[in-house]
Every structure is written in C-alpha cells, then in structure tokens.
Amino acid sequence: MTDSTTRHVSATLEGTVSGRTRLELQLALPDLPGLRVDERLSVLLDGDTVEPVEAVTAHGNRVHVVEGAEGRLSVSYTATATGQSEPLQVTEADRILYTRPSRYVDSDRLLGFANKQFGKRTSRSANDLLLDVAAWVGSHLSYLPGSSRPTDGASDTLVMGAGVCRDYAHLVIALLRALDTPARLVAVYAPGCDPMDFHAVTEAAVDGEWRAVDATLLAPRQSLLRISTGRDAADTAFLTNFGGRLTLEQSTVTAVVDGDLPVDDTQAAVLLG
C-alpha cells in the first residue's frame, strides 16, 4: 500500500433497545498521524437523531456513547481513509500490559503447551516466533462460524479446534504472551475479507514495532484499517450496552480499496495503517 491509497468503509446496525440503557459504539477510525479520514456517523432512535458523546480510551479507541437509549436503533458509519498512518511504537507500558493474561486471553493456562510446542523464545527471533505461532494456529483451527460462544477464551478455542477470527486472534495472542512476547488484538475493517464483516487480527511486539499477523488469512494485511485496539475482544467490541436489553437484528459491514487488492506475502513484516 502507498501513501496515496484510498479505502472506503461502512457499518450499519439495526436493532431494538428495551429499557433505558447506555450504548457504546466502536465503529469509528482512530485519529492517527498520517491517515486522512473523511467520515460520517449517524445514530437514530425511533427516527430521531441522537448526538453521541465521544470518548477516547487509553488504547486510543474512539467510543461513541449514547446515554438513556430506548426504542428502534439505527446506526450508520461511513468513512474514506487516504494514506497510511505512522507506525505505532512499542512502549514500556505496552510491554507490561500486553504480556499479562486478560479476559479472553488466558495465557497463564497455556504456558506448558506453548513452551512444549514452540520451545523457549530465546531459541529464535521474535519475528520467527510470531510467524511460527500464526502459521500453527492457522493450520490447526477450522474457520467455522457458530462454533464458539461469546464467552470462550483462548484455551477453549485450543480445545475446540475451531472458531472465527476473534478466536484465532485470541489463541495467537495467548500463545505469544505465554512465550513472553507482548501481543494484542486489533479490530479492523478488512477489504477483501470473505465473508465480509468486522475482522480481528493480532499485533505483536517485534523489534520495537507492532507487527500484524492474521492466522485466518481472510484478507491482505496491507489493506486493513484499524478500528480499535486492546488486550482482547472485551476492549474492542463494536457495540456494548449497559442497563437495558439490546436486540441486534441486522449488521452490515463493507470495506473496499481503490484499485487492486495487494498480494499478501505471509512471511513479510506488515505494520497496520
């Protein structure tokens, strides 16, 4: 991808909110140096426009909050992004946060398995380890929608041997953390993804950079657009509600790139932009 690359993304959500609730939306692209974004977010409740309050998390995610929501919900987000964001550097705080177990990444339960399967980290470079783990997960899991539960963590996925993109990412992250490599989950818009939907990939700390791998191989990494970043899917959910009942009836995601999709060399180092 070049600095002039243009990508067009959108997400629409339709549903019903019963009982007054707090809605948190994570659909918008983050504000990153080097990436130029033209966007529009619309939130309707029973046909009336609602102006959400934007909050930026410690991860840099943009969360749009709607307080006291109730009724028929319609959400639409569209964005055109041009260029590439500047690479994100790995900080000392990142090394602390993203090496510890988290809600869906129970890396402490996989210490023995990871070391037996991949050996000690000191026996290979961080980049080789990243590629080895991603390739192993990709070859040992079956991509099977509906095979996993929203509460499943990485160890559950390892036992089941199947899942969707977030399950693949959680297992890659867990194995890397078990091998003392900082790793995190990134929710992305993914041009070329089939089936098209919100997508999840892994970023790992290699030589001071956050390098991306996608064990599913569903979309070229070079065209991915970051939505949100976190310890696991608990930090990156596109829609969360507190207090009432939310019935999501329909969601549609699109992501395309001007021109041809890049060809992804799985051995190449890719930094998300």
Side-chain angles (χ1 to χ4, degrees):
M1 305 295 281
T2 67
D3 289 343
S4 61
T5 297
T6 299
R7 287 157 285 181
H8 308 275
V9 300
S10 70
T12 59
L13 310 175
E14 298 284 343
T16 303
V17 182
S18 303
R20 293 177 64 81
T21 187
R22 172 188 171 98
L23 296 177
E24 297 179 356
L25 298 159
Q26 285 193 108
L27 306 172
L29 302 178
D31 183 13
L32 297 173
L35 188 67
R36 301 179 296 281
V37 177
D38 181 16
E39 64 180 357
R40 181 178 183 274
L41 173 65
S42 170
V43 180
L44 302 178
L45 283 169
D46 289 334
D48 295 328
T49 299
V50 176
E51 293 298 334
V53 175
E54 181 175 313
V56 180
T57 73
H59 300 292
N61 305 338
R62 294 170 62 204
V63 183
H64 289 90
V65 180
V66 179
E67 293 282 6
E70 190 170 17
R72 181 68 186 177
L73 173 70
S74 297
V75 178
S76 174
Y77 177 75
T78 60
T80 295
T82 305
Q84 293 288 108
S85 63
E86 296 177 6
L88 300 177
Q89 301 302 305
V90 180
T91 67
E92 198 59 36
D94 289 338
R95 296 184 188 280
I96 296 170
L97 179 64
Y98 295 120
T99 312
R100 296 178 176 180
S102 58
R103 170 65 181 84
Y104 296 108
V105 179
D106 47 350
S107 51
D108 49 337
R109 300 184 65 182
L110 299 179
L111 292 172
F113 176 84
N115 279 282
K116 180 178 179 180
Q117 183 66 42
F118 299 101
K120 297 293 184 180
R121 174 180 170 173
T122 53
S123 66
R124 72 190 77 183
S125 72
N127 190 65
D128 287 345
L129 181 63
L130 173 61
L131 296 177
D132 287 350
V133 170
W136 187 92
V137 170
S139 64
H140 283 77
L141 295 187
S142 298
Y143 191 90
L144 188 60
S147 62
S148 60
R149 302 164 298 180
T151 55
D152 284 349
S155 61
D156 299 307
T157 299
L158 180 62
V159 172
M160 289 293 296
V164 292
C165 60
R166 76 170 226 162
D167 303 305
Y168 279 66
H170 283 156
L171 184 52
V172 172
I173 295 166
L175 293 171
L176 289 171
R177 289 184 190 174
L179 296 165
D180 301 324
T181 298
R184 62 190 190 180
L185 186 141
V186 184
V188 295
Y189 290 108
C193 189
D194 185 16
M196 176 57 68
D197 205 340
F198 295 110
H199 194 45
V201 298
T202 300
E203 278 187 323
V206 176
D207 297 332
E209 299 177 329
W210 285 109
R211 296 189 185 177
V213 291
D214 179 6
T216 71
L217 302 180
L218 287 177
R221 292 168 296 160
Q222 295 85 347
S223 62
L224 303 178
L225 267 176
R226 183 188 309 271
I227 304 172
S228 54
T229 307
R231 296 163 297 176
D232 54 37
D235 293 330
T236 62
F238 66 86
L239 176 60
T240 308
N241 73 296
F242 299 93
R245 178 184 177 87
L246 169 65
T247 302
L248 183 62
E249 298 161 1
Q250 182 178 351
S251 66
T252 304
V253 178
T254 66
V256 297
V257 59
D258 284 355
D260 296 329
L261 282 168
V263 176
D264 194 350
D265 176 1
T266 59
Q267 299 300 303
V270 172
L271 281 62
L272 294 184

Coordinates of all heavy atoms in Angstrom, one line a residue, residues 122-174:
T122 N 14.0 -17.8 23.5 CA 15.4 -17.5 23.2 C 16.0 -18.3 22.1 O 17.1 -18.0 21.6 CB 16.3 -17.7 24.5 OG1 16.0 -19.0 25.0 CG2 15.9 -16.7 25.6
S123 N 15.3 -19.3 21.7 CA 15.8 -20.2 20.6 C 15.6 -19.7 19.2 O 16.1 -20.2 18.3 CB 15.2 -21.6 20.7 OG 13.8 -21.6 20.5
R124 N 14.8 -18.5 19.1 CA 14.6 -18.0 17.8 C 14.2 -16.5 17.9 O 14.0 -16.0 19.0 CB 13.4 -18.7 17.1 CG 12.0 -18.4 17.7 CD 11.0 -19.3 17.2 NE 11.1 -20.6 17.9 CZ 10.3 -21.7 17.6 NH1 9.4 -21.6 16.6 NH2 10.4 -22.8 18.2
S125 N 14.2 -15.8 16.8 CA 13.9 -14.4 16.8 C 12.4 -14.2 17.1 O 11.6 -15.1 16.9 CB 14.3 -13.7 15.5 OG 13.4 -14.1 14.4
A126 N 12.1 -13.0 17.6 CA 10.7 -12.6 17.8 C 9.9 -12.7 16.6 O 8.7 -13.1 16.6 CB 10.6 -11.2 18.5
N127 N 10.4 -12.3 15.4 CA 9.7 -12.3 14.2 C 9.4 -13.8 13.8 O 8.3 -14.1 13.3 CB 10.4 -11.6 13.1 CG 9.5 -11.4 11.9 OD1 8.5 -10.7 11.9 ND2 9.9 -12.0 10.8
D128 N 10.4 -14.6 13.9 CA 10.2 -16.0 13.5 C 9.2 -16.7 14.4 O 8.3 -17.5 13.9 CB 11.5 -16.8 13.6 CG 12.5 -16.5 12.5 OD1 12.0 -15.9 11.5 OD2 13.7 -16.8 12.6
L129 N 9.2 -16.4 15.7 CA 8.2 -16.9 16.6 C 6.8 -16.5 16.3 O 5.9 -17.3 16.3 CB 8.6 -16.5 18.0 CG 7.7 -17.0 19.1 CD1 7.7 -18.5 19.2 CD2 8.0 -16.4 20.5
L130 N 6.7 -15.2 15.9 CA 5.4 -14.6 15.5 C 4.8 -15.4 14.3 O 3.7 -15.8 14.3 CB 5.5 -13.2 15.2 CG 4.3 -12.5 14.6 CD1 3.1 -12.5 15.6 CD2 4.6 -11.0 14.3
L131 N 5.7 -15.6 13.3 CA 5.2 -16.3 12.1 C 4.9 -17.7 12.4 O 3.9 -18.3 11.9 CB 6.3 -16.2 11.0 CG 6.6 -14.8 10.5 CD1 7.8 -14.8 9.5 CD2 5.4 -14.1 9.9
D132 N 5.7 -18.4 13.2 CA 5.5 -19.8 13.6 C 4.2 -20.0 14.3 O 3.4 -20.9 14.0 CB 6.6 -20.3 14.4 CG 7.9 -20.5 13.7 OD1 7.9 -20.4 12.4 OD2 9.0 -20.8 14.3
V133 N 3.9 -19.1 15.3 CA 2.7 -19.2 16.0 C 1.4 -19.0 15.2 O 0.5 -19.8 15.2 CB 2.7 -18.3 17.2 CG1 1.3 -18.2 17.9 CG2 3.7 -18.7 18.3
A134 N 1.5 -18.0 14.3 CA 0.4 -17.7 13.5 C 0.1 -18.8 12.5 O -1.0 -19.2 12.2 CB 0.6 -16.4 12.7
A135 N 1.2 -19.4 11.9 CA 1.0 -20.5 11.0 C 0.5 -21.7 11.6 O -0.4 -22.4 11.1 CB 2.4 -20.8 10.3
W136 N 0.9 -22.0 12.9 CA 0.4 -23.1 13.6 C -1.0 -23.0 13.9 O -1.8 -23.9 13.7 CB 1.2 -23.3 14.9 CG 0.9 -24.6 15.6 CD1 1.5 -25.8 15.5 CD2 -0.2 -24.8 16.5 NE1 0.9 -26.8 16.3 CE2 -0.1 -26.2 16.9 CE3 -1.1 -24.0 17.1 CZ2 -1.0 -26.7 17.9 CZ3 -2.0 -24.5 18.0 CH2 -2.0 -25.9 18.4
V137 N -1.5 -21.8 14.4 CA -2.9 -21.6 14.7 C -3.7 -21.7 13.4 O -4.8 -22.4 13.4 CB -3.1 -20.3 15.4 CG1 -4.6 -19.9 15.5 CG2 -2.5 -20.3 16.8
G138 N -3.2 -21.1 12.3 CA -4.0 -21.2 11.1 C -4.2 -22.6 10.6 O -5.2 -22.9 10.0
S139 N -3.2 -23.5 10.8 CA -3.3 -24.8 10.3 C -4.0 -25.8 11.2 O -4.4 -26.9 10.8 CB -1.8 -25.4 10.0 OG -1.1 -25.5 11.2
H140 N -4.2 -25.4 12.5 CA -4.8 -26.3 13.5 C -6.2 -25.9 13.8 O -6.9 -26.7 14.5 CB -3.9 -26.4 14.7 CG -2.7 -27.2 14.6 ND1 -1.6 -26.8 13.9 CD2 -2.4 -28.5 15.0 CE1 -0.7 -27.8 13.9 NE2 -1.2 -28.8 14.6
L141 N -6.7 -24.8 13.4 CA -8.1 -24.4 13.7 C -8.9 -24.5 12.4 O -8.3 -24.2 11.3 CB -8.2 -23.0 14.2 CG -7.6 -22.7 15.6 CD1 -7.9 -21.3 16.1 CD2 -8.0 -23.7 16.6
S142 N -10.1 -24.7 12.5 CA -11.1 -24.7 11.4 C -11.9 -23.4 11.5 O -12.5 -23.2 12.6 CB -12.0 -25.9 11.3 OG -11.2 -27.1 11.1
Y143 N -12.0 -22.6 10.4 CA -12.9 -21.4 10.5 C -14.3 -21.9 10.3 O -14.8 -22.3 9.3 CB -12.5 -20.4 9.4 CG -13.1 -19.1 9.6 CD1 -12.5 -18.1 10.3 CD2 -14.4 -18.8 9.0 CE1 -13.1 -16.8 10.5 CE2 -15.0 -17.6 9.2 CZ -14.3 -16.6 10.0 OH -14.9 -15.4 10.2
L144 N -15.1 -21.7 11.4 CA -16.4 -22.3 11.5 C -17.4 -21.4 12.2 O -17.4 -21.4 13.5 CB -16.4 -23.7 12.1 CG -17.7 -24.5 12.1 CD1 -18.1 -24.8 10.6 CD2 -17.5 -25.8 12.8
P145 N -18.1 -20.5 11.5 CA -19.0 -19.6 12.2 C -20.0 -20.4 13.0 O -20.5 -21.4 12.6 CB -19.7 -18.8 11.1 CG -18.7 -18.9 10.0 CD -18.0 -20.2 10.1
G146 N -20.3 -19.9 14.2 CA -21.2 -20.5 15.1 C -20.6 -21.6 16.0 O -21.3 -22.2 16.9
S147 N -19.4 -21.9 15.8 CA -18.7 -23.0 16.6 C -18.3 -22.5 18.0 O -18.1 -23.4 18.9 CB -17.5 -23.6 15.9 OG -16.5 -22.5 15.7
S148 N -18.2 -21.2 18.2 CA -17.7 -20.7 19.5 C -18.8 -19.9 20.2 O -19.6 -19.3 19.5 CB -16.4 -19.9 19.3 OG -16.6 -18.8 18.5
R149 N -18.6 -19.7 21.5 CA -19.5 -18.9 22.3 C -18.9 -17.5 22.6 O -17.7 -17.4 22.6 CB -19.9 -19.6 23.6 CG -20.5 -21.0 23.4 CD -20.5 -21.7 24.7 NE -19.1 -22.0 25.1 CZ -18.7 -22.6 26.2 NH1 -19.7 -23.1 27.0 NH2 -17.4 -22.8 26.6
P150 N -19.7 -16.5 22.8 CA -19.1 -15.2 23.1 C -18.2 -15.2 24.4 O -17.4 -14.3 24.5 CB -20.4 -14.3 23.4 CG -21.5 -15.0 22.6 CD -21.2 -16.5 22.7
T151 N -18.4 -16.2 25.2 CA -17.6 -16.3 26.5 C -16.3 -17.1 26.3 O -15.6 -17.2 27.3 CB -18.5 -16.8 27.6 OG1 -19.0 -18.1 27.2 CG2 -19.6 -15.9 28.0
D152 N -16.1 -17.7 25.2 CA -14.9 -18.6 25.0 C -13.7 -17.8 25.0 O -13.6 -16.7 24.4 CB -15.1 -19.4 23.7 CG -16.0 -20.5 23.8 OD1 -16.5 -20.8 24.9 OD2 -16.4 -21.1 22.8
G153 N -12.7 -18.3 25.7 CA -11.3 -17.8 25.7 C -10.4 -18.6 24.8 O -10.8 -19.6 24.2
A154 N -9.1 -18.2 24.9 CA -8.1 -18.9 24.0 C -8.0 -20.4 24.3 O -7.9 -21.2 23.4 CB -6.8 -18.2 24.2
S155 N -8.0 -20.8 25.6 CA -7.8 -22.2 25.9 C -9.0 -23.0 25.4 O -8.9 -24.1 25.0 CB -7.6 -22.4 27.4 OG -8.7 -21.9 28.2
D156 N -10.2 -22.4 25.5 CA -11.4 -23.1 24.9 C -11.3 -23.3 23.4 O -11.6 -24.4 22.9 CB -12.7 -22.2 25.2 CG -13.0 -22.0 26.6 OD1 -13.1 -23.0 27.4 OD2 -13.1 -20.8 27.0
T157 N -10.8 -22.3 22.7 CA -10.5 -22.4 21.3 C -9.5 -23.5 21.0 O -9.7 -24.3 20.0 CB -10.1 -21.1 20.7 OG1 -11.1 -20.1 20.9 CG2 -9.8 -21.2 19.2
L158 N -8.5 -23.6 21.8 CA -7.5 -24.6 21.5 C -8.1 -26.0 21.6 O -7.9 -26.9 20.8 CB -6.4 -24.5 22.5 CG -5.2 -25.5 22.4 CD1 -4.5 -25.4 21.1 CD2 -4.2 -25.3 23.6
V159 N -9.0 -26.2 22.6 CA -9.7 -27.5 22.8 C -10.7 -27.8 21.7 O -10.7 -28.9 21.2 CB -10.4 -27.5 24.2 CG1 -11.2 -28.8 24.3 CG2 -9.3 -27.5 25.3
M160 N -11.4 -26.8 21.3 CA -12.5 -27.0 20.3 C -11.9 -27.2 18.9 O -12.4 -27.9 18.1 CB -13.4 -25.7 20.3 CG -14.3 -25.6 21.5 SD -15.5 -27.0 21.5 CE -16.5 -26.6 20.0
G161 N -10.8 -26.5 18.6 CA -10.1 -26.6 17.3 C -10.8 -25.9 16.2 O -10.6 -26.2 15.0
A162 N -11.7 -25.0 16.6 CA -12.5 -24.2 15.6 C -12.9 -22.9 16.2 O -12.9 -22.7 17.4 CB -13.7 -25.0 15.1
G163 N -13.3 -22.0 15.3 CA -13.7 -20.7 15.7 C -13.8 -19.7 14.6 O -13.8 -20.1 13.4
V164 N -14.0 -18.4 14.9 CA -14.0 -17.3 14.0 C -12.8 -16.4 14.2 O -11.9 -16.8 15.0 CB -15.3 -16.6 14.0 CG1 -16.4 -17.4 13.6 CG2 -15.6 -16.0 15.4
C165 N -12.7 -15.3 13.5 CA -11.5 -14.5 13.5 C -11.0 -14.1 14.9 O -9.8 -14.2 15.2 CB -11.6 -13.3 12.6 SG -13.0 -12.1 13.1
R166 N -11.9 -13.7 15.8 CA -11.5 -13.3 17.1 C -10.9 -14.5 17.9 O -10.0 -14.3 18.7 CB -12.7 -12.7 17.9 CG -13.7 -13.6 18.5 CD -14.7 -12.9 19.4 NE -14.8 -13.7 20.6 CZ -15.3 -13.2 21.7 NH1 -15.7 -12.0 21.8 NH2 -15.5 -14.0 22.8
D167 N -11.4 -15.7 17.7 CA -10.9 -16.9 18.3 C -9.5 -17.2 17.9 O -8.6 -17.5 18.7 CB -11.8 -18.1 18.1 CG -13.2 -17.9 18.5 OD1 -13.4 -17.5 19.7 OD2 -14.2 -18.0 17.7
Y168 N -9.3 -17.1 16.6 CA -7.9 -17.2 16.0 C -7.0 -16.2 16.6 O -5.9 -16.6 17.1 CB -7.9 -17.0 14.5 CG -8.4 -18.2 13.7 CD1 -9.7 -18.7 13.7 CD2 -7.5 -18.8 12.8 CE1 -10.1 -19.8 12.9 CE2 -7.9 -19.9 12.0 CZ -9.2 -20.3 12.0 OH -9.6 -21.4 11.2
A169 N -7.4 -15.0 16.7 CA -6.6 -13.9 17.2 C -6.3 -14.1 18.7 O -5.1 -14.0 19.2 CB -7.2 -12.6 17.0
H170 N -7.3 -14.5 19.5 CA -7.1 -14.8 20.9 C -6.1 -15.9 21.1 O -5.2 -15.8 22.0 CB -8.4 -15.1 21.6 CG -9.3 -14.0 21.8 ND1 -10.7 -14.1 21.9 CD2 -9.1 -12.6 22.0 CE1 -11.2 -12.9 22.1 NE2 -10.2 -12.0 22.2
L171 N -6.1 -16.9 20.4 CA -5.2 -18.0 20.6 C -3.8 -17.6 20.2 O -2.8 -18.0 20.9 CB -5.7 -19.3 19.8 CG -4.8 -20.5 20.0 CD1 -4.7 -20.9 21.4 CD2 -5.4 -21.7 19.2
V172 N -3.6 -16.9 19.1 CA -2.3 -16.4 18.7 C -1.7 -15.6 19.8 O -0.6 -15.7 20.2 CB -2.3 -15.7 17.4 CG1 -1.0 -15.0 17.1 CG2 -2.7 -16.6 16.2
I173 N -2.6 -14.6 20.3 CA -2.1 -13.7 21.4 C -1.7 -14.5 22.6 O -0.7 -14.2 23.2 CB -3.2 -12.7 21.7 CG1 -3.5 -11.8 20.5 CG2 -2.8 -11.8 22.9 CD1 -4.8 -11.0 20.6
A174 N -2.6 -15.5 23.0 CA -2.3 -16.2 24.2 C -1.0 -17.0 24.1 O -0.2 -17.0 25.1 CB -3.5 -17.2 24.5

